[in-house]
Amino acid sequence: MVIGSRPAARRVLLVVAVLLSALALAACAGGPETMPSDERVTPGPGNTFSITITDDAITPDNLSAAMGPITFEITNNGSRVHNLAVKYNGIHHQSPDIQPGETITWTIAGHTPSPVVFYSSVGNDRANGLEMNVWIATGKADAPFGHGEGH
């Protein structure tokens, strides 16, 4: 008897093929583990980051934060108004507009471990690349995603 000749066996083979394909895609998917932790900036005291926005970029552009309040000290070194925004847990959060040469402090509650993209939502800023990746991890900010202290 040939395994592929039975309808039930074909279904099993199809399910196995689909599962293997899903696993392969998951392994290739982008995420916080795809960037070595030594390429991520970790916070200063109190989960605080110093961010600079210019008309061309947000720097640093890859951060690793611990869960809890995340504070950004944002300086606009550009010639135009910018801000910092994020859609996190289904809610849009946005800093006040930052005038050229101005520095503000903005805090967001990072209570869900996840990778998120922060961006300037003014005009075409995001389309022009004003984005930064933030990996919010359990435990210490430099721990692998989801594997912080106590986990």
Side-chain angles (χ1 to χ4, degrees), residues 66-140:
M67 283 189 346
I70 304 168
T71 300
F72 299 99
E73 294 173 352
I74 311 161
T75 300
N76 181 353
N77 282 341
S79 62
R80 296 176 293 155
V81 172
H82 299 289
N83 66 16
L84 202 57
V86 64
K87 186 170 185 177
Y88 181 61
N89 288 336
I91 300 170
H92 179 81
H93 303 274
Q94 181 175 309
S95 75
D97 286 347
I98 310 162
Q99 300 298 319
E102 183 180 24
T103 298
I104 68 162
T105 300
W106 182 58
T107 301
I108 185 168
H111 295 296
T112 302
S114 60
V116 291
V117 177
F118 285 76
Y119 53 91
S120 176
S121 66
V122 176
N124 291 326
D125 280 356
R126 188 171 189 187
N128 291 330
L130 271 70
E131 294 185 340
M132 70 176 178
N133 300 303
V134 177
W135 283 263
I136 301 171
T138 58
K140 298 188 302 183

